[in-house]
Amino acid sequence: MISSNEYGSNSWELLVTVDHQHTEVQKEFLLQVTGDLHIGGLMLKLVEQIKIPQDWSDYAFWWEQKKSWLLKTHWTLDKCGVQADAKLIFTTQHKMLRLRLPSMKTVRLKVSFSAMVFRAVSDICRILNIRRSEELSLLKQSEDVLKKKKRRDKNGKEPVTEDVLNLCNSPVSSGLSGSPGLYSKTMTPTYDPTSGTPASSTITWFSDSPLTEQNCNILALSHSSSSPETLAEMYQPRTLGDKARLNAGWLDSSRSLMEQGILEDDQLLLRFKYYTFFDLNPKYDAVRINQIYEQARWAILLEEIDCTEEEMLIFAALQYHISKLQLSSEVQDFTCESEVDEVEAALSNLEVTLEGGKTSSALEDITDIPKLADNLRLVRQRRLSLRTVKPYWFVFKDTSISYFKNKESALGEPIEKLNLKGCEVVPDVNVASKKFGIKLLIPVADGMNEVYLRCENENQYASWMAACVLASKGKTMADSSYQSEVEKILSFLKMKNWTMSPQAACDPENIDMKPECFISLRYNKKHKSKQLAARILEAHQNISHMSLVQAKLHFIQAWQSLPEFGLSYYIVRFKGSKKEDVLGVSYNRLIRIDIATGDPITTWRFSNMKQWNVNWEIRQVAIEFDQNVSIAFTCLSADCKIIHEYIGGYIFLSTRSKQHEMLDEDLFHKLTGGQE
């Protein structure tokens, strides 16, 4: 009989499984412990029994029943709540994970399965040389995508062998955070702002990164195919409900991968979750720009975002131009370029940054808020789908539009004054038919009031459209971004205004162009291949002079100008309503959308938000706005935590500035974590 003094009256047996690769050594160990033994002491006791000489620094205890890590080594077993029935696994914190990038390239690397996803994504971005990691997150593939893959396999189609970039020797593999040299603004490898390839003198900065061994520009250039066969095999959302299901799989940024059921060598999608691309700089962001471009490209090809036929042709022309440049020998053979002096590159970038920070000279000496006044046509909807179009004298001042019978009556009371703050601004443009329209959806007590304005020409449209866009955000024309907004709109209109030059049609390089690779399936079915090729080449004339990085940035800007840009959809049920609605979450607003028609019902701006909270018991999100407006809803297509994190995440990102490079991670978790 064993005396109580030998083990102690309060001792008990704890079964621990060790996850190691030594087949000849046992994996289960029975340890005699007491409740006041701390986690660090338990590790020491276990390693002494294992008797395998190896580095155990990356190992930690995983509590299987509770689905949680025991990482606080100074806590005792009693404080952690560990008792004799607990099943602990002593396993590595860093494990292999397959990530599918926006470019459809799969990378395999070691990631921390014990750190919060927010921190894990930051480490991943260090390895891939992507700045501003807070804009990205990890997404589980939707069930619809997985079902389509299974159907394809059942039909006997050969599975496509993935080209996997293996980065298993990444800095994170050792359990340490990535080298700050790969991430900091002063040491990030400098890229050629024209071609987007690393300047050869800075390749040595990749010395501790696995990207050295394989081409440095492998993630800055894309080689993914988008043939009709490829598109047909990929999941394409048909309805708003389908689009909502695409956003159901975002991982919780405040919990670890293991806590969310992710296993070693699983595949996740690395995607830009928040559509606020801060401080995009071609000198440092070749990989980031390319991955944003690729995410935009696939969203358009798979019709995750709607665009007109004219816009689709512009996107196709830009894709065609980019693919030509990426295949050209000048871009590929970047190592033959002359060495770039690092000091000169740094000074050059400083000059570009300072120049970019200047406000327009036209707005420097403003002492009064400018206004617009001109003749526009007002389109009114009548019964039986008839419209009436009448000219009026419009005056735009502050964030409001007023209209009068004529210019002479502008000194009196207006016929109507429209406050655009918080409204939706939708372009209605067809350059070929000289149609320049602005659709305004203005929030009123019982929904949205629709107002259509028609402009005479491109310049008038750009001025008024830019003013409307700023007013919807609560900004006036005195804002420094007004002139750049006008120029961006004019640039986009110029791309739409194309004419075919005779030499373009007979250019040998253009003969083998495959338009179906740059157009969504719907438009491919609508037109013949030759017709599409001719129209794409027409559109290409206006952008053929662009460099590779310029073309990608123009593609991103054109994507950003689409009415649906930046909206993430969720199926919800509002409190007091019996029917389902769609909630669109954007960087500055929430939109309630009719699930049947797709029409916006109401818009709420984050700038008017007073507070929001979640009732975790009934999974209901409640938000209070100014003027005693409050809403509450339950999410049906995803966990309400995802919407809660979206709202907090966008508010967090709005606090960023170039003066403070370091992110306040604690603030992010306060805004997005919640208390379940």
Side-chain angles (χ1 to χ4, degrees):
M1 182 177 175
I2 300 172
S3 66
S4 60
N5 293 333
E6 189 171 341
Y7 285 134
S9 58
N10 296 323
S11 69
W12 37 276
E13 291 181 334
L14 180 65
L15 183 66
V16 179
T17 304
V18 180
D19 181 19
H20 62 69
Q21 305 301 318
H22 303 273
T23 52
E24 69 281 359
V25 180
Q26 70 182 82
K27 294 200 171 186
E28 290 190 349
F29 294 86
L30 204 60
L31 304 177
Q32 197 75 24
V33 298
T34 58
D36 58 359
L37 178 67
H38 53 75
I39 299 297
L42 181 64
M43 285 182 179
L44 184 62
K45 187 184 281 275
L46 177 63
V47 170
E48 286 174 349
Q49 281 207 25
I50 298 173
K51 296 178 181 176
I52 298 176
Q54 72 169 60
D55 182 4
W56 297 98
S57 60
D58 190 41
Y59 277 69
F61 288 113
W62 169 253
W63 192 351
E64 185 62 34
Q65 296 105 314
K66 297 277 187 180
K67 299 292 180 188
S68 64
W69 289 93
L70 303 179
L71 299 176
K72 295 179 178 177
T73 53
H74 59 285
W75 278 26
T76 63
L77 295 179
D78 281 344
K79 190 171 183 179
C80 293
V82 175
Q83 297 178 347
D85 60 345
K87 292 181 180 178
L88 301 186
I89 300 173
F90 195 51
T91 184
T92 53
Q93 297 176 64
H94 291 81
K95 302 177 186 291
M96 297 305 295
L97 187 68
R98 288 178 298 126
L99 293 176
R100 196 144 198 216
L101 305 183
S103 61
M104 300 300 171
K105 182 83 176 174
T106 301
V107 296
R108 189 168 179 268
L109 70 172
K110 273 197 175 178
V111 177
S112 173
F113 274 58
S114 62
M116 291 181 183
V117 165
F118 185 86
R119 175 64 61 85
V121 170
S122 177
D123 290 340
I124 290 165
C125 288
R126 282 194 183 95
I127 298 169
L128 303 180
N129 201 38
I130 298 174
R131 294 194 312 143
R132 306 295 177 188
S133 63
E134 65 275 10
E135 297 168 358
L136 298 95
S137 193
L138 299 176
L139 179 69
K140 281 185 186 175
Q141 282 189 311
S142 71
E143 291 298 320
D144 299 291
V145 176
L146 298 173
K147 284 177 187 174
K148 188 157 189 176
K149 282 184 178 177
K150 287 177 183 175
R151 275 203 306 271
R152 189 174 70 231
D153 295 340
K154 282 182 182 177
N155 292 338
K157 289 191 178 181
E158 285 291 322
V160 180
T161 54
E162 280 191 313
D163 179 21
V164 178
L165 176 62
N166 204 328
L167 302 179
C168 56
N169 296 320
S170 59
V172 173
S173 302
S174 63
L176 304 172
S177 62
S179 163
L182 285 176
Y183 195 66
S184 69
K185 192 160 184 174
T186 55
M187 286 297 289
T188 303
T190 302
Y191 292 89
D192 186 317
T194 304
S195 66
T197 55
S200 47
S201 62
T202 63
I203 291 174
T204 53
W205 290 350
F206 281 103
S207 57
D208 61 347
S209 168
L211 288 177
T212 306
E213 300 160 20
Q214 305 173 50
N215 205 337
C216 290
N217 70 346
I218 200 162
L219 301 179
L221 298 177
S222 303
H223 310 284
S224 56
S225 168
S226 55
S227 64
E229 294 77 23
T230 307
L231 289 175
E233 290 176 359
M234 299 178 76
Y235 177 71
Q236 297 181 54
R238 303 293 181 192
T239 64
L240 274 175
D242 292 342
K243 291 178 182 180
R245 280 182 274 277
L246 290 175
N247 293 302
W250 288 110
L251 296 190
D252 186 339
S253 296
S254 301
R255 296 166 64 210
S256 69
L257 291 171
M258 284 273 277
E259 288 170 332
Q260 299 179 71
I262 307 301
L263 304 176
E264 185 166 12
D265 226 30
D266 276 358
Q267 178 166 290
L268 295 173
L269 309 180
L270 180 67
R271 293 290 183 269
F272 289 89
K273 178 179 181 180
Y274 300 102
Y275 296 91
T276 50
F277 309 124
F278 184 68
D279 188 26
L280 268 183
N281 191 327
K283 281 273 183 177
Y284 304 112
D285 291 324
V287 175
R288 183 174 167 219
I289 288 170
N290 185 60
Q291 296 303 323
I292 294 173
Y293 158 72
E294 283 291 335
Q295 185 160 325
R297 184 173 81 92
W298 284 105
I300 286 159
L301 289 175
L302 297 174
E303 298 190 73
E304 293 172 9
I305 184 170
D306 290 336
C307 64
T308 64
E309 187 172 317
E310 190 178 43
E311 288 162 344
M312 180 66 77
L313 291 169
I314 291 171
F315 287 123
L318 284 164
Q319 287 178 72
Y320 171 58
H321 184 63
I322 290 165
S323 66
K324 275 179 69 175
L325 290 177
Q326 287 188 153
L327 292 172
S328 67
S329 57
E330 293 82 24
V331 171
Q332 293 294 335
D333 192 19
F334 68 90
T335 52
C336 299
E337 295 174 9
S338 59
E339 292 284 311
V340 178
D341 188 292
E342 291 168 13
V343 176
E344 185 184 335
L347 289 172
S348 174
N349 177 65
L350 179 61
E351 185 183 343
V352 170
T353 306
L354 290 173
E355 285 176 0
K358 290 179 183 175
T359 56
S360 170
S361 58
L363 298 174
E364 280 178 0
D365 301 320
I366 285 178
T367 55
D368 190 22
I369 295 173
K371 68 178 183 179
L372 289 173
D374 212 341
N375 281 306
L376 301 177
R377 285 172 294 165
L378 180 66
V379 183
R380 289 189 181 280
Q381 191 76 32
R382 298 298 185 192
R383 291 182 181 179
L384 302 175
S385 300
L386 296 175
R387 287 183 174 186
T388 59
V389 183
K390 281 188 178 181
Y392 291 97
W393 181 257
F394 281 81
V395 176
F396 194 113
K397 191 168 184 182
D398 294 329
T399 59
S400 300
I401 288 182
S402 304
Y403 63 92
F404 306 82
K405 188 175 181 180
N406 50 46
K407 185 176 181 180
E408 289 70 30
S409 60
L411 296 173
E413 286 294 313
I415 297 171
E416 189 178 7
K417 185 176 181 179
L418 307 169
N419 184 8
L420 303 190
K421 197 172 180 181
C423 78
E424 293 297 310
V425 184
V426 182
D428 184 18
V429 177
N430 189 314
V431 178
S433 59
K434 302 294 180 185
K435 179 185 176 185
F436 303 101
I438 302 171
K439 181 180 177 182
L440 302 172
L441 300 171
I442 302 169
V444 290
D446 57 345
M448 304 285 269
N449 182 23
E450 290 189 10
V451 177
Y452 289 84
L453 304 180
R454 287 273 178 88
C455 301
E456 292 296 327
N457 52 54
E458 295 180 10
N459 290 326
Q460 189 186 55
Y461 169 79
S463 300
W464 284 81
M465 183 68 179
C468 290
V469 168
L470 289 182
S472 71
K473 301 174 185 176
K475 298 178 181 179
T476 68
M477 290 170 59
D479 192 87
S480 60
S481 62
Y482 173 70
Q483 200 57 43
S484 62
E485 187 72 28
V486 172
E487 289 167 5
K488 189 171 80 173
I489 293 168
L490 284 171
S491 173
F492 193 40
L493 291 176
K494 187 182 176 183
M495 284 194 286
K496 289 186 175 185
N497 189 16
W498 58 72
T499 52
M500 185 68 162
S501 63
Q503 63 268 27
C506 56
D507 189 338
E509 290 185 18
N510 296 333
I511 292 172
D512 296 330
M513 197 258 281
K514 297 178 181 177
E516 58 273 11
C517 295
F518 310 113
I519 297 281
S520 68
L521 286 175
R522 179 160 58 97
Y523 289 114
N524 267 319
K525 292 174 183 176
K526 192 175 177 182
H527 300 285
K528 291 182 179 177
S529 182
K530 285 186 179 179
Q531 291 175 326
L532 286 173
R535 294 179 70 185
I536 292 170
L537 291 175
E538 284 176 21
H540 181 249
Q541 296 308 296
N542 279 338
I543 50 103
S544 58
H545 63 281
M546 290 182 186
S547 69
L548 179 60
V549 175
Q550 267 184 322
K552 287 179 181 177
L553 288 173
H554 268 77
F555 192 100
I556 293 166
Q557 286 175 357
W559 175 49
Q560 288 173 316
S561 70
L562 296 176
E564 290 184 13
F565 167 75
L567 282 174
S568 302
Y569 299 103
Y570 293 93
I571 299 173
V572 300
R573 181 176 287 116
F574 281 86
K575 188 177 180 180
S577 175
K578 292 182 179 179
K579 71 183 189 73
E580 296 175 357
D581 283 307
V582 170
L583 184 73
V585 184
S586 182
Y587 74 97
N588 61 352
R589 68 201 189 282
L590 300 173
I591 308 175
R592 183 177 182 176
I593 303 168
D594 188 297
I595 196 169
T597 63
D599 294 333
I601 300 170
T602 317
T603 297
W604 302 279
R605 295 267 161 185
F606 289 158
S607 56
N608 299 329
M609 187 189 296
K610 291 168 70 176
Q611 67 171 15
W612 83 99
N613 57 69
V614 181
N615 184 329
W616 296 109
E617 289 183 9
I618 58 174
R619 318 301 285 181
Q620 185 182 77
V621 181
I623 309 174
E624 287 183 30
F625 297 91
D626 292 339
Q627 299 176 340
N628 297 320
V629 175
S630 61
I631 61 172
F633 56 84
T634 53
C635 189
L636 306 178
S637 62
D639 194 301
C640 68
K641 172 67 168 68
I642 294 177
I643 294 182
H644 169 63
E645 187 173 307
Y646 250 122
I647 296 170
Y650 273 127
I651 291 171
F652 170 75
L653 294 183
S654 69
T655 65
R656 293 182 295 179
S657 70
K658 292 182 183 179
Q659 285 74 33
H660 301 91
E661 290 286 328
M662 293 299 292
L663 284 176
D664 188 345
E665 194 174 329
D666 290 337
L667 176 62
F668 175 84
H669 291 302
K670 281 178 185 175
L671 289 169
T672 63
Q675 300 294 326
E676 294 193 52

